[in-house]
Amino acid sequence: MTEVDGNSARFGGLFLQCGVDESGIGIWDLDLSTGDLFWSDATRRLFDVPLHEAVSLELFLSKLAPDDRERTRTALQRTIEGGSKFDFQYCIGEQSGGSHWVRARGGLVRNADGAPARVCGVVLDIDDQKQLEAALRARESHLHSILETIPDAMIVIDEHGIMQRFSSAAERLFGLPESEAIGLNVNTLMPEPDRGRHDGYLQRYKSSGERHIIGIGRIVTGKRRDGSTFPMHLSVGEMNAGGERYFTGFVRDLTEHQKTQAKLQELQSELFHVSRLSAMGEMASALAHELSQPLAAISNYMKGSRRLLESNGTPDIPRVEMALDRAAEQALRAGQIIRRLRDFVSRRESEKRVESLAKLVEEAGALGLSGAREQNVMLRFQLDPDCDRVLVDRVQIQQVLVNLFRNALEAMADSPRRELVAASTHASDDMIEISVMDTGHGFSDTTAGNLFQTFFTTKETGMGVGLSISRSIVEAHGGRMWAETNESGGATFRLTLPAAPDEGLPDVA
């Protein structure tokens, strides 16, 4: 290399160093043979060292916090011995109150023979980065504190349904610690048939983008770690981060709400019952008044006819015939009164539609099973997803299910073991069987023959019409209803309903 070339290289190096200094990036170089340390002007400014002050490795270490000094010595030694990268972050001037953050990076340079010659690198000002990280941590901590204190449970899942976040409220609600929940599929928290269908819902949404629940709250059934179920309100939001899709669900336990609603409905039912009794009393009074006239007339005409027939001489046949005709007219009048009453109180033809059996059981359970948790009743829904479509009057069948659920809870009030199971299965090609099993006191063989008789009851305050009406509703749907004693000594009520084609009801996810 000529002298001109050498001068050009030195001038080029100086210009490069000046450009790097002006950009705020410092340069450092540690000569391993002499121990001399070189700092560029930018490096001196970052470490608060005057331009006229000599620098050394000891000076560099003195600028560090005590805990960082030994770690830095160890890291330098590893770089020299093994060639590993040197990368440390330091808070400079922390004791003086004017602290700022820097990042020192470097690597090993070897001689031609491969021996370590020097360690050199750059120093970067990362104060803005650290302030941003601190702000993000503060914001995340604030958000975390909010999510941990709100009463609603929060669950975050990825697009495959795997749980990523599980709040403390969720731990309390589902009885599952976060350490076990993270990594599990969220369908673990669902009873059948929702558990078996959930992954399909996610896949369908990924392929079609059609929303059924996102952004719209709905009431569903949750499943705790112990297998018990409970009604809950679920709201789901969606977000995208780093090209990945995540769903956040907020869950509110509706057990107490449903219990309150059940009490209100019970009070309302009592008011309706009193109102019906009053109306029946008025109707009975009016009916007695209306029927008394034609019945009295029939009696008088028949007595008059008898006297005419028993009178001496030839009976007055025309008068007898007239009296009998009048009696017949009054009998027809009495029949018309009864028919008008029957038409007045008769129920219109029920409106049958294709319904989801799981949804019927879920909604009926939310009402009929309120208070089950407080009674330590283990609830299990074993519903076959392959027989979920039924052709029924929704209100009537829910009335039957609510009645069976409430009867089961009352039957288990004093039982040491309290377990209620609602299940469904195929009875035949066109019928589906539903069973409600409890572990209560059951019933005797004598009682079994009268269970569905009107006004027969085993309850002290019962009216004996619930099961009779329930069986009438089921039979009006073309099914049948019966009861049997199960292995635990409790009662199992079974009923059949007509199945409906799958295409009769769209998915309700």
Side-chain angles (χ1 to χ4, degrees):
M1 179 183 293
T2 65
E3 183 177 354
V4 174
D5 293 336
N7 290 334
S8 298
R10 285 193 295 272
F11 285 134
L14 289 174
F15 284 132
L16 176 60
Q17 181 177 330
C18 290
V20 172
D21 284 345
E22 290 301 322
S23 70
I25 300 175
I27 297 175
W28 61 276
D29 183 9
L30 176 63
D31 190 328
L32 299 181
S33 61
T34 63
D36 292 338
L37 178 63
F38 165 78
W39 277 359
S40 67
D41 293 347
T43 305
R44 289 174 175 271
R45 289 194 296 270
L46 291 173
F47 281 94
D48 296 328
V49 175
L51 296 178
H52 63 273
E53 185 175 348
V55 295
S56 64
L57 182 58
E58 293 304 319
L59 174 66
F60 165 57
L61 295 175
S62 69
K63 292 291 182 178
L64 309 181
D67 292 343
D68 289 335
R69 294 169 188 169
E70 189 59 35
R71 293 193 303 119
T72 300
R73 290 181 186 275
T74 303
L76 275 173
Q77 194 63 33
R78 284 201 304 267
T79 300
I80 295 170
E81 295 176 354
S84 59
K85 298 297 182 183
F86 181 87
D87 192 345
F88 267 86
Q89 297 180 8
Y90 303 110
C91 184
I92 306 301
E94 189 173 12
Q95 296 178 349
S96 63
S99 63
H100 62 277
W101 282 87
V102 300
R103 180 180 183 182
R105 303 187 65 182
L108 179 66
V109 178
R110 300 179 183 273
N111 290 327
D113 59 0
R118 50 199 334 116
V119 179
C120 54
V122 297
V123 180
L124 308 172
D125 184 348
I126 59 171
D127 216 35
D128 291 342
Q129 173 187 332
K130 284 296 183 179
Q131 290 179 11
L132 180 59
E133 290 177 358
L136 289 175
R137 283 196 299 269
R139 186 172 301 178
E140 183 178 359
S141 178
H142 185 209
L143 177 60
H144 182 73
S145 66
I146 293 175
L147 295 177
E148 291 302 305
T149 54
I150 59 174
D152 293 349
M154 183 204 70
I155 304 170
V156 178
I157 65 172
D158 62 17
E159 59 185 1
H160 304 293
I162 305 302
M163 289 185 280
Q164 308 294 319
R165 290 285 301 273
F166 202 74
S167 70
S168 58
E171 290 182 321
R172 294 189 297 270
L173 182 58
F174 290 95
L176 186 67
E178 181 182 22
S179 58
E180 295 184 23
I182 300 301
L184 294 179
N185 194 307
V186 73
N187 63 20
T188 305
L189 309 178
M190 306 173 187
E192 292 292 355
D194 290 338
R195 179 173 184 172
R197 296 175 175 175
H198 187 262
D199 289 346
Y201 295 156
L202 287 176
Q203 187 61 38
R204 181 185 61 194
Y205 176 62
K206 288 169 60 178
S207 60
S208 68
E210 183 181 357
R211 295 186 173 191
H212 287 270
I213 185 173
I214 297 174
I216 304 173
R218 61 173 290 188
I219 297 176
V220 296
T221 300
K223 179 182 177 183
R224 298 186 181 87
R225 184 181 188 180
D226 60 9
S228 61
T229 58
F230 64 97
M232 66 185 196
H233 183 273
L234 173 64
S235 300
V236 179
E238 179 184 5
M239 66 167 289
N240 286 278
E244 297 290 333
R245 181 181 294 168
Y246 295 92
F247 304 94
T248 302
F250 290 90
V251 178
R252 180 176 302 169
D253 188 353
L254 294 182
T255 302
E256 291 300 322
H257 174 75
Q258 296 287 5
K259 184 177 180 181
T260 302
Q261 291 296 108
K263 288 182 178 179
L264 291 175
Q265 185 165 356
E266 186 177 352
L267 291 175
Q268 188 177 28
S269 298
E270 290 180 2
L271 290 175
F272 285 158
H273 179 62
V274 173
S275 176
R276 285 196 300 269
L277 289 179
S278 176
M280 289 176 64
E282 294 178 2
M283 186 180 297
S285 177
L287 183 61
H289 175 73
E290 291 289 334
L291 289 178
S292 64
Q293 296 179 11
L295 291 177
I298 292 172
S299 176
N300 291 334
Y301 284 129
M302 297 304 293
K303 288 180 180 180
S305 299
R306 183 179 182 85
R307 285 196 298 268
L308 289 173
L309 291 173
E310 292 177 348
S311 62
N312 295 327
T314 303
D316 191 345
I317 298 300
R319 293 181 63 187
V320 173
E321 290 177 346
M322 181 188 68
L324 291 175
D325 290 339
R326 297 287 176 81
E329 291 175 0
Q330 294 301 315
L332 291 175
R333 179 187 170 193
Q336 291 173 351
I337 293 173
I338 297 297
R339 281 193 296 275
R340 287 201 304 270
L341 174 64
R342 183 185 62 189
D343 293 339
F344 177 74
V345 299
S346 63
R347 181 183 177 91
R348 294 180 179 179
E349 184 68 21
S350 61
E351 183 180 357
K352 297 176 184 177
R353 300 178 58 184
V354 178
E355 302 284 352
S356 166
L357 180 59
K359 197 66 178 176
L360 291 177
V361 174
E362 180 180 299
E363 293 177 354
L367 180 61
L369 297 175
S370 61
R373 183 178 183 183
E374 289 73 13
Q375 298 178 32
N376 296 320
V377 175
M378 177 74 73
L379 305 176
R380 299 185 188 279
F381 289 163
Q382 299 175 353
L383 304 177
D384 188 347
D386 294 331
C387 53
D388 186 54
R389 304 324 196 206
V390 289
L391 183 63
V392 296
D393 183 307
R394 181 177 63 86
V395 175
Q396 288 186 353
I397 296 305
Q398 285 183 340
Q399 178 184 350
V400 173
L401 294 173
V402 168
N403 184 49
L404 293 179
F405 288 156
R406 287 180 173 172
N407 286 349
L409 291 185
E410 293 178 8
M412 295 187 292
D414 299 322
S415 298
R417 175 190 171 195
R418 302 173 186 179
E419 183 176 350
L420 189 151
V421 179
S424 65
T425 185
H426 280 289
S428 62
D429 291 340
D430 57 351
M431 300 297 287
I432 294 173
E433 180 181 308
I434 302 100
S435 61
V436 178
M437 184 209 78
D438 63 58
T439 55
H441 52 68
F443 49 82
S444 64
D445 294 339
T446 304
T447 302
N450 300 315
L451 277 177
F452 298 97
Q453 295 297 320
T454 307
F455 305 125
F456 176 83
T457 180
T458 58
K459 305 176 186 177
E460 294 181 0
T461 58
M463 297 183 63
V465 295
L467 290 177
S468 175
I469 293 175
S470 295
R471 186 170 66 172
S472 298
I473 291 174
V474 172
E475 290 177 349
H477 281 75
R480 64 189 187 95
M481 184 175 182
W482 69 99
E484 57 192 34
T485 301
N486 55 49
E487 296 179 355
S488 67
T492 298
F493 285 85
R494 303 183 186 276
L495 58 103
T496 57
L497 296 173
D502 288 342
E503 60 270 15
L505 181 70
D507 289 333
V508 292

